[in-house]
Amino acid sequence: MPQLPDDLDAVAVRTWCSLALEALGRERAEIDAINVYPIADGDTGTNLYLTVESAAAAVEAVFAAHETGATAPATADAVRAMAHGALIGARGNSGTILAQLLRGMAGVLADGGDAAHLRRALTRAADAARRAVAHPVEGTVLTVAAAAAEAAEGGESDLRTVVHAAYAGALAALAKTPEQLAVLGRAGVVDAGGRGLVAVLGALVETVTGQAPVRGPRTAHGKAPTPVDGGSVVGLPVGGTPVEGVPETGVPVGEGPLDCPEDGVAGPAFEVIYLLEAGDEQVARLRTRLDALGDSLVVVGGDGLWHVHVHVDDAGAAVEAGVEAGRPYRIRITHFATESGHDLRVQAEPAQRAVVVVVPGDGLAGLCTEAGATTVIARPGEPPASGELVDAIRRAHAREVVLLPNDAALRHTAAAAAEQARTEGVRVALVPTRAAVQGIAALAVHEPDRGFDEDVVAMTAAAGATRYAELAVAERQSWTMAGICQAGDILGLIDGDVAVIGADVPATARTVLDRMLAAGGELVTLVLGEDVPDSLADALEEHVREGYLAVDTVVYRGGHQRAPLLIGVE
């Protein structure tokens, strides 16, 4: 049995994220089924799962980057990664609030993980989440978070007592949510976001004690259990191990998407979500403007990076407000339609085939979108999680999907996403593209009218026939396949290995092109980064034209991407 932590160190944070992801994975469908507020769209469990998946992936990246040895990463690094991962991967209203809860906790836990710090962390988290919501409503995840923090307060105690108390307080508050929010009472369910938070806190109990809290009896959505003992709901245990100080509790779960005729009718038509790089003053003005445009406004984050969530009728105006405030990206717009008295996502007949492609910048995203693909942007240092790829496959809304990860490091992530989508009835083929230029080549030969297998073979062949290279700036002195590089050197990587070490971008790019074209080629693709001048592309086009008469060159703008220049040779 693993040793139980005396405080929340980096290893404990990693364990907590992993267990929380497992718990939300188990309860995702049930939480989706009781999602009736603020929009009855049945996705709260999924959104919370994807948010925690992003947090867990960020923590794993910290451990992967840490040098092997006897010591683990610093606690501060782990908790900050958890908060940042949740922020950039937050989904929906509840996921955005959970991201702010984790951010609030991280601000305290970075200084220590004992009982006293955890109590303050829970309080800071509840306060931060409430401030992030434009119009807080009782009977939601905010109420559950506040109850957990209040229950954890008290005299000096050990870490286990604090997590027991927080979990029990959250559970009791969750049982009371139908009394506080009319839509929940009519449906006979507890708040979906609050239930998700209870699952996350339950994972914290298991992390600290080694015992999972008891899961109580499940009831139909129209028959909520009877509260006793001051509001907690008591039932017979159906799984798990009883934990001292935590009641054996059951909460209603529902049987499917619920009809809420008096709440949400004629609500806003769109959900708009984006990440935003902006200062505090600009965000304060943005809050005011978005609050006037719609409802369910939640803005979380800080230190120049924010996650914005709002429901509006004018999606364009919500995005424009973000542009005026700073630089919005990872923009997601979901259309709601009012049918039969409650909100449902529009469900058109699925297309026969679609392509989902991961791209390193906004420029290529626009290019691939014009070609009919569904895109996922991989920001520098922010690789997409499998949940984000699954979400993109769902957005593609097709019976058959070709997935282009465009990064060797995403191979396992993409494979997991493809497997998940297959369980949902989608036929998915993963073409193992290792660079964006290979994805462009594959997309260029895509023909949706031919057979699926034939199309996949053609796309795979096109990708495989494309050699790829990129230019990068060396961050430190190190050994490479081409010799020793110094900090600031320009590195030319061909097929993933350093092949050229140069002093400037133009000369290094010409050398890389010459080495790649020495083996032959018909088409050169150049993808320029955001700050690279057009003159570089002109010079490289002229270099190819003068030295390789039968070779054509195409140039694309990649936008904000990691590498200043990507090169493909077909």
Side-chain angles (χ1 to χ4, degrees), residues 137-493:
V137 175
E138 295 305 323
T140 64
V141 62
L142 298 176
T143 306
V144 176
E150 183 178 357
E153 289 293 337
E156 291 298 322
S157 56
D158 63 19
L159 189 65
R160 292 165 182 75
T161 303
V162 172
V163 297
H164 286 165
Y167 180 77
L171 210 48
L174 180 65
K176 292 181 180 179
T177 56
E179 303 168 19
Q180 297 171 297
L181 199 53
V183 62
L184 302 178
R186 286 194 299 273
V189 299
V190 295
D191 178 65
R195 180 167 170 186
L197 178 58
V198 166
V200 172
L201 291 174
L204 183 58
V205 171
E206 185 174 358
T207 298
V208 172
T209 68
Q211 296 175 306
V214 168
R215 299 178 69 205
R218 297 298 187 246
T219 66
H221 64 260
K223 299 178 181 179
T226 303
V228 297
D229 295 336
S232 63
V233 182
V234 180
L236 298 175
V238 296
T241 303
V243 179
E244 183 180 355
V246 178
E248 297 175 358
T249 304
V251 293
V253 299
E255 296 174 334
L258 301 176
D259 190 1
C260 307
E262 296 180 29
D263 295 77
V265 176
F270 298 95
E271 177 186 56
V272 178
I273 299 173
Y274 50 80
L275 290 176
L276 178 71
E277 293 178 356
D280 292 357
E281 293 184 5
Q282 289 80 8
V283 169
R285 291 195 293 269
L286 176 66
R287 289 178 191 270
T288 301
R289 182 169 177 184
L290 292 180
D291 192 28
L293 287 175
D295 59 29
S296 297
L297 173 61
V298 186
V299 181
V300 305
D303 301 322
L305 180 62
W306 307 83
H307 187 105
V308 179
H309 170 282
V310 66
H311 293 171
V312 293
D313 282 319
D314 190 343
V319 175
E320 289 173 7
V323 172
E324 292 180 6
R327 188 176 79 87
Y329 60 97
R330 286 199 179 181
I331 300 169
R332 295 193 299 272
I333 299 174
T334 301
H335 181 216
F336 299 123
T338 302
E339 299 178 7
S340 304
H342 62 283
D343 287 355
L344 296 173
R345 297 194 185 278
V346 176
Q347 292 295 326
E349 182 68 19
Q352 181 59 34
R353 188 175 311 152
V355 178
V356 172
V357 55
V358 180
V359 291
D362 297 321
L364 289 184
L367 173 69
C368 294
T369 299
E370 290 178 5
T374 298
T375 62
V376 178
I377 298 180
R379 297 286 173 183
E382 300 175 8
S386 63
E388 191 168 354
L389 298 184
V390 172
D391 186 52
I393 292 172
R394 292 171 181 147
R395 284 191 286 113
H397 199 47
R399 298 182 180 90
E400 302 168 339
V401 171
V402 182
L403 177 58
L404 307 175
N406 292 344
D407 188 340
L410 289 178
R411 180 182 58 181
H412 297 300
T413 300
E419 188 61 32
Q420 173 62 37
R422 291 182 189 116
T423 66
E424 299 177 10
V426 181
R427 187 181 183 188
V428 181
L430 172 60
V431 178
T433 50
R434 295 178 290 174
V437 289
Q438 289 188 324
I440 293 173
L443 190 58
V445 300
H446 165 58
E447 292 185 13
D449 293 333
R450 63 185 169 195
F452 183 64
D453 292 335
E454 183 183 357
D455 197 27
V456 171
V457 169
M459 295 175 74
T460 302
T466 302
R467 299 190 69 194
Y468 62 95
E470 68 175 76
L471 267 58
V473 180
E475 297 180 356
R476 64 182 67 87
Q477 183 186 65
S478 61
W479 289 90
T480 74
M481 296 286 290
I484 300 175
C485 70
Q486 305 296 326
D489 284 347
I490 305 301
L491 307 180
L493 292 83

Side-chain angles (χ1 to χ4, degrees), residues 469-472 505 509 526-529 532 536 540 561 563-567:
E470 68 175 76
L471 267 58
V505 170
L526 304 176
V527 182
L528 277 61
V532 177
L536 175 63
L540 294 179
Q561 61 187 34
L565 179 66
L566 305 177
I567 302 173

Side-chain angles (χ1 to χ4, degrees), residues 490-570:
I490 305 301
L491 307 180
L493 292 83
I494 300 177
D495 295 337
D497 294 323
V498 177
V500 179
I501 299 175
D504 60 70
V505 170
T508 306
R510 288 194 296 269
T511 303
V512 168
L513 276 171
D514 289 340
R515 293 200 180 186
M516 296 178 76
L517 289 169
E522 298 176 356
L523 176 67
V524 170
T525 300
L526 304 176
V527 182
L528 277 61
E530 188 173 39
D531 300 324
V532 177
D534 291 334
S535 58
L536 175 63
D538 295 338
L540 294 179
E541 280 190 89
E542 183 177 358
H543 179 75
V544 172
R545 185 167 53 250
E546 292 180 350
Y548 309 92
L549 298 179
V551 179
D552 294 325
T553 303
V554 293
V555 179
Y556 301 112
R557 275 284 175 185
H560 186 64
Q561 61 187 34
R562 180 187 70 238
L565 179 66
L566 305 177
I567 302 173
V569 174
E570 299 178 45

